[in-house]
Amino acid sequence: MRAMVISEAGGPEVLQLRERLTPRPGPGEILVDVRVAGVNFFDVGVRRGRMAEVPGMEGAGVVVETGGDVHEFAPGDRVAWLTIDTHASYAEQIVLPVRNVVAVPDAIDDETAAAVLLQGLTAHHHSTVCHPVQPGDITLVHAAAGGVGLLLTQLIKARGGTVIGLVSRPEKAEIAGAAGADHVVVSTGDAFVETVRELTGGEGVHAVFDGAGGPTFSASLQVLRTHGTMVFYGPLIGDVPTIAMNEIPRSTRLTYGALPDHIRTREELTAYAAELFALVERGELVVRIGGRYPLAEAARAHADIESRTTTGKLLLIP
């Protein structure tokens, strides 16, 4: 089978399509034909640091073979998965521990299953645990036209919240608005502070969801109201902010949402994934596919996501 292998740490060009031995499942594992693999910005960090030989933390496909002690799945079953620690989804086939796998309902297509799992669970974590959104909450969502931002906007709206969506380019404003953002602000860096203050009557927002990193971190803290919550979730590469305790505005909360803490058990993964799939089936959560690339063109997908010009979810199709 073929896989995209990181030949050395570096730019997109180090991703090379290589022939590899077909893996075999062991006890508690399944072998899956990959139909769709998701592309995430974290994969860029994996490539730059060569943190894995084959990148890719999520996908959807069909079970080919099961190892010993596997009773949940059988050949022919459609599944989706997360491999946050082991990666390896940029391939035609992958061996997966059953604990990382969920069944895909018949009503959910492969692309949607691959696109909603990692980013959808991230958005679910942020809006239900990091800051449990209440009816009437006013929130600020960074990168509101991106993969996480679009899903987060919809989940906040479903919980009765108001969304101020930040986008970096005017052409992204319509996309964020279509996802349900009540106000869309075109801004780069920290230029949004005054506008957000005006939109909230000077009070500030109940919560900020900021995955942009250093350039916006301080400004995000400035738009919080008293007892507001800053939910920071990235990036894990590039400009990561540091802050002293006396730099945090008084009577506010700062939390760093990490997805593995949301799905510590297979039961949690299965339950939350089922919740997301049900929202999709009811039409209450719409997944936007921003780009589809052949597996061999993973380098182009990486270049595009690094350019910050993409919207929605990028997918690789083996």
Side-chain angles (χ1 to χ4, degrees):
M1 65 96 181
R2 299 181 302 169
M4 293 303 301
V5 176
I6 300 174
S7 56
E8 60 183 315
E13 70 282 354
V14 304
L15 286 165
Q16 302 289 327
L17 189 65
R18 300 280 176 80
E19 295 282 344
R20 294 167 66 87
L21 291 175
T22 299
R24 299 262 69 87
E29 296 179 333
I30 58 175
L31 173 65
V32 176
D33 277 341
V34 180
R35 287 184 172 174
V36 184
V39 178
N40 295 281
F41 197 78
F42 188 81
D43 298 342
V44 173
V46 172
R47 187 201 73 223
R48 290 177 181 173
R50 208 184 183 206
M51 297 159 58
E53 190 173 16
V54 177
M57 298 189 293
E58 64 182 335
V62 178
V63 177
V64 176
E65 182 183 348
T66 62
D69 300 322
V70 174
H71 309 290
E72 300 92 331
F73 301 104
D77 287 349
R78 296 176 58 239
V79 296
W81 61 86
L82 291 178
T83 53
I84 296 173
D85 296 323
T86 56
H87 309 280
S89 295
Y90 287 17
E92 292 177 333
Q93 293 183 314
I94 184 172
V95 164
L96 298 160
V98 167
R99 65 179 179 274
N100 295 343
V101 181
V102 297
V104 176
D106 292 339
I108 305 293
D109 63 74
D110 294 328
E111 290 191 356
T112 300
V116 77
L117 205 56
L118 190 147
Q119 292 180 336
L121 289 171
T122 297
H124 184 275
H125 183 213
H126 296 342
S127 59
T128 64
V129 178
C130 295
H131 176 81
V133 175
Q134 303 299 311
D137 278 3
I138 303 173
T139 66
L140 177 66
V141 175
H142 283 262
V148 173
L150 288 170
L151 298 175
L152 188 54
T153 293
Q154 294 175 76
L155 292 178
I156 291 170
K157 294 299 296 180
R159 294 175 66 88
T162 294
V163 175
I164 302 171
L166 284 183
V167 297
S168 60
R169 300 168 183 266
E171 58 269 25
K172 295 184 177 183
E174 183 177 351
I175 296 169
D182 299 277
H183 310 279
V184 181
V185 177
V186 180
S187 172
T188 56
D190 60 1
F192 58 87
V193 173
E194 184 176 345
T195 301
V196 173
R197 283 286 182 185
E198 290 175 356
L199 288 171
T200 59
E203 288 292 315
V205 298
H206 294 86
V208 177
F209 299 91
D210 186 350
T216 60
F217 187 83
S218 177
S220 290
L221 291 174
Q222 294 176 44
V223 299
L224 286 174
R225 66 177 57 199
T226 302
H227 301 134
T229 303
M230 166 77 158
V231 181
F232 179 72
Y233 61 98
L236 295 179
I237 58 174
D239 197 1
V240 179
T242 58
I243 189 169
M245 284 297 295
N246 61 0
E247 295 176 303
I248 302 174
R250 289 174 50 189
S251 300
T252 57
R253 305 177 186 88
L254 172 60
T255 182
Y256 188 0
L259 180 58
D261 295 329
H262 193 48
I263 49 171
R264 292 169 296 177
T265 66
R266 183 164 188 270
E267 289 72 24
E268 288 177 327
L269 171 62
T270 301
Y272 297 148
E275 187 176 334
L276 289 175
F277 289 151
L279 288 169
V280 172
E281 288 183 275
R282 295 197 300 266
E284 298 175 23
L285 186 64
V286 178
V287 179
R288 178 184 174 87
I289 307 301
R292 300 171 179 84
Y293 305 76
L295 178 63
E297 295 183 18
R300 182 164 64 89
H302 274 223
D304 288 349
I305 204 169
E306 285 184 273
S307 73
R308 304 285 189 173
T309 60
T310 61
T311 61
K313 184 71 176 184
L314 305 188
L315 300 175
L316 298 179
I317 314 296

